[in-house]
Amino acid sequence: MGNIVILDENTANKIAAGEVVERPASVVKELCENSIDAKATSITVEINNGGISLIKIIDNGTGIQGDDVEIAFEKHATSKIRKVEDLNSISSMGFRGEALSSISAVSKLELTTKTLNENTGTKIKIEGGVLKEKEECGCPKGTTVIVKDLFFNTPARYKFLKKDYTEAGYVEDVVTMLALGNPNISFKLIINASLVLQTPGNGEMLTTAYSIYGNNAKSTIGVDYEQDGIHITGLAGKPEIARSNRSHQIFFINNRVVKNRTMSSAVEEAYKTLMQVGKYPFVILNLEINPELVDVNVHPTKQEVRFSEEGKIFSSIFHAVKNSLFSGESLIPDYSLMKIEEPWQKEKMPEKSSGFPLKSGLKQQDYGKNFEGGNSYGFHDNASKYPKYLQGTFSEIKEEQEFYRTFKIVGSAFLTYILVEDGADMYIIDQHAAHERIMYEKLKKDHEEGKQVSQMLLIPEVLEIKHKEYELLKNNADIIESLGIAIEDFGSGSIKINSLPFLCDKDNAKEIVLELIDQLAENQKENKKNKKDKLLYMLACKSAVKANSALSDQEIAALIESMNGLENPYTCPHGRPTIIRMTKYEIEKRFGRA
Ligand code: ADP
Ligand code: MG
């Protein structure tokens, strides 16, 4: 007998199902999309164990007529298209007609539904693709789908699932996106019996975003713009709520979440002069556009899209965002919500400060005192002791011991680069990069020696975060604690920051913890040691003096002296140089003197 056989229908269905149903989040997405297509105005999603043991979706949509219920579970059963031409103008969410059949093939599914005109509803139970029960039942208008024991009959798929909280996080992402894309629908998400998200369903993007992102949503500017038949609405975040990755750039086309490089590039181009390096704007944009201009079917389960007229898309998004950012509404951060506080802002607005002592890196007035007494900025307080000699840049020319005794400060360029002259050389030091390295080594040393000292926040900061972010903090609690950061649950989606490492500026508590969350999210797959290292870089960066801030000669001298004795004074923790050298000879050559 040959080796090739035709798979029986059940097996073939299970394989096909795997392509639609990857994990609990994909089930939630498909079922919610059905509810959206059914014109629901309220959708409740409930999951247990990351959705593996239970997913329940309740909607108040049109419902399915009793005699259609069974058909809806057939492969390619859909009420949404009739012929192939319809595919081009489809405005509904899903049109492959395989969600219900696929999900019911790999789970124990129960659906109850009733249309407005029917007196009784219908209940159907299907397990592993096999119809178990169908009966009339009493229920309100709408549809409830309960999916239990996902992948109970496909162990290979089951094995690919991640930990419950990770799967729950994916579900939260899906519901968040659907909620933002459909502000006219009230979404509720319940994870392990606690409500983690609820949107108002009032059609307003701002209040919807507020219900998800809390106060951060206040630091946004509305977008409403039309060009080339493309209508763009949404929110553009002020630079103060920028994040360190692109996960807060959310795009919809006709209310459907999509991913596309052109769209991100257009946004980043619009923000160009406003963003610090390594920061990405927070934006939520919906494009209402003729569906024929978009190819959404690049991959059915992915969100990548292609455009037939990329240029138009780029240009319309660019102008939409730019117009909002530079029109009327001020980009000057709202002080009460501000997380990024530059020293100059504190100095200019003392009356608005919250009453904490101002402590902002090197700009502090009593800096000199701090320096002499051993200080919180990680500068060495014993400048006359040079335990270790620098290599490379310095040693090529002369012993660095000499350098640290004889350098002369020339000044500072662009409030960022320190110019130093020493013998026959000129050095240019990037003040932020250098200070970042100093802080990093200090934090690292303290950490390794178990000397991490933390400072209590006099008035603890309260921060609203998403459930997923909370889980991330919880799962890395040991690392966070070992770094001297104390955070506690403050109820209803918020946390309280109680203490920070001593070297950090406690006025930046919120910013530091937001950054902490981003770093943990980005480095989920890393081992503990690497995670810690990434967090130490981050803490160093946050506690270092910023570029574009004026330093006194005394502060400059302290900074340079502190570079002495570092393990690696030549690059910042991210690998950028801290210091470059130009010889007098080179300069003289350029002027034709040598
Ligand atoms: P598709 O959504 O691609 O049409 P599905 O398998 O997801 O395919 O659903 C099959 C059909 O079942 C839909 O076309 C729709 O008519 C009906 N249906 C599914 N879910 C719902 C719901 N929540 N409310 C009303 N009708 C639904
Ligand atoms: Mg569907």
Side-chain angles (χ1 to χ4, degrees), residues 30 34 80 94 99:
E30 292 287 342
N34 281 346
K80 297 165 194 175

Side-chain angles (χ1 to χ4, degrees), residues 566-581:
L566 289 182
E567 230 168 76
N568 171 8
Y570 312 111
T571 60
C572 78
H574 305 98
R576 277 179 284 111
T578 54
I579 180 163
I580 55 177
R581 176 175 61 100

Side-chain angles (χ1 to χ4, degrees), residues 331-345:
L331 280 178
I332 295 171
D334 178 346
Y335 198 81
S336 63
L337 302 169
M338 195 157 57
K339 290 188 296 296
I340 299 168
E341 292 180 337
E342 297 292 341
W344 64 269
Q345 286 163 335

Side-chain angles (χ1 to χ4, degrees), residues 188-200:
K188 233 192 236 179
L189 173 62
I190 299 164
I191 296 180
N192 300 332
S194 64
L195 180 68
V196 302
L197 184 151
Q198 181 167 22
T199 61

Side-chain angles (χ1 to χ4, degrees), residues 34-35 38 59 63-64 72 77-80 94-100 143:
N34 281 346
S35 301
D59 75 41
I64 309 171
T78 179
S79 57
K80 297 165 194 175
F95 50 80
R96 282 164 288 118
E98 53 193 355
L100 287 184
T143 304

Side-chain angles (χ1 to χ4, degrees), residues 76-77 95 100 154 194 208 265 306 344 351 359 362 375 381 441 449 504 508 523 552 583:
H76 308 304
F95 50 80
L100 287 184
T154 47
S194 64
T208 304
S265 309
R306 274 196 221 123
W344 64 269
E351 71 283 1
K359 179 176 136 195
L362 290 164
N375 56 78
D381 55 357
E441 292 202 4
E449 292 172 1
C504 294
N508 283 345
N523 298 297
S552 70
T583 61

Side-chain angles (χ1 to χ4, degrees), residues 231-479:
H231 186 198
I232 304 179
T233 52
L235 300 171
K238 294 184 185 179
E240 69 206 64
I241 55 164
R243 302 295 287 255
S244 60
N245 59 47
R246 291 197 175 86
S247 64
H248 292 74
Q249 289 184 12
I250 303 167
F251 300 107
F252 300 90
I253 290 182
N254 300 332
N255 301 83
R256 191 180 181 133
V257 69
V258 295
K259 288 218 163 84
N260 174 276
R261 277 298 303 151
T262 303
M263 299 174 89
S264 309
S265 309
V267 166
E268 283 161 27
E269 194 61 31
Y271 271 91
K272 203 160 190 179
T273 54
L274 299 173
M275 285 287 138
Q276 283 178 42
V277 182
K279 286 286 185 181
Y280 299 94
F282 171 109
V283 285
I284 305 171
L285 295 181
N286 181 35
L287 275 66
E288 274 169 59
I289 168 179
N290 180 344
E292 287 176 22
L293 292 179
V294 201
D295 176 7
V296 270
N297 270 329
V298 177
H299 188 296
T301 54
K302 299 237 167 77
Q303 298 158 351
E304 300 289 334
V305 288
R306 274 196 221 123
F307 297 107
S308 52
E309 304 200 47
E310 290 238 305
K312 274 190 189 169
I313 301 288
F314 184 95
S315 162
S316 59
I317 294 180
F318 173 78
H319 287 113
V321 174
K322 195 133 194 173
N323 276 7
S324 292
L325 290 178
F326 294 96
S327 76
E329 205 169 336
S330 168
L331 280 178
I332 295 171
D334 178 346
Y335 198 81
S336 63
L337 302 169
M338 195 157 57
K339 290 188 296 296
I340 299 168
E341 292 180 337
E342 297 292 341
W344 64 269
Q345 286 163 335
K346 290 178 188 173
E347 278 167 16
K348 277 191 182 164
M349 298 185 275
E351 71 283 1
K352 279 200 178 178
S353 111
S354 53
F356 289 101
L358 296 181
K359 179 176 136 195
S360 43
L362 290 164
K363 289 227 64 183
Q364 205 174 3
Q365 291 285 304
D366 59 355
Y367 168 71
K369 196 175 74 212
N370 248 353
F371 172 57
E372 266 154 36
N375 56 78
S376 61
Y377 306 115
F379 289 167
H380 293 263
D381 55 357
N382 193 349
S384 60
K385 225 168 86 191
Y386 298 108
K388 225 177 176 186
Y389 278 46
L390 302 174
Q391 313 100 29
T393 316
F394 290 116
S395 57
E396 277 169 25
I397 311 303
K398 66 198 294 191
E399 301 212 317
E400 87 269 3
Q401 186 176 22
E402 272 293 298
F403 172 82
Y404 285 118
R405 270 193 223 124
T406 56
F407 72 85
K408 188 178 130 209
I409 298 164
V410 178
S412 157
F414 313 118
L415 297 174
T416 301
Y417 304 103
I418 299 166
L419 305 182
V420 174
E421 174 195 324
D422 186 48
D425 297 302
M426 189 175 84
Y427 295 92
I428 308 174
I429 297 170
D430 178 327
Q431 66 188 39
H432 174 71
H435 195 207
E436 204 177 26
R437 167 57 68 178
I438 294 166
M439 297 305 262
Y440 171 69
E441 292 202 4
K442 176 95 174 93
L443 282 161
K444 194 170 161 192
K445 188 158 167 277
D446 283 356
H447 180 66
E448 283 166 0
E449 292 172 1
K451 281 199 314 208
Q452 185 66 67
V453 197
S454 46
Q455 55 179 331
M456 296 279 286
L457 269 57
L458 286 179
I459 300 174
E461 286 276 7
V462 174
L463 187 61
E464 283 162 69
I465 59 170
K466 296 173 66 187
H467 177 75
K468 190 177 113 182
E469 298 176 325
Y470 177 76
E471 289 293 315
L472 211 52
L473 291 175
K474 206 169 84 183
N475 290 311
N476 292 286
D478 53 337
I479 298 179

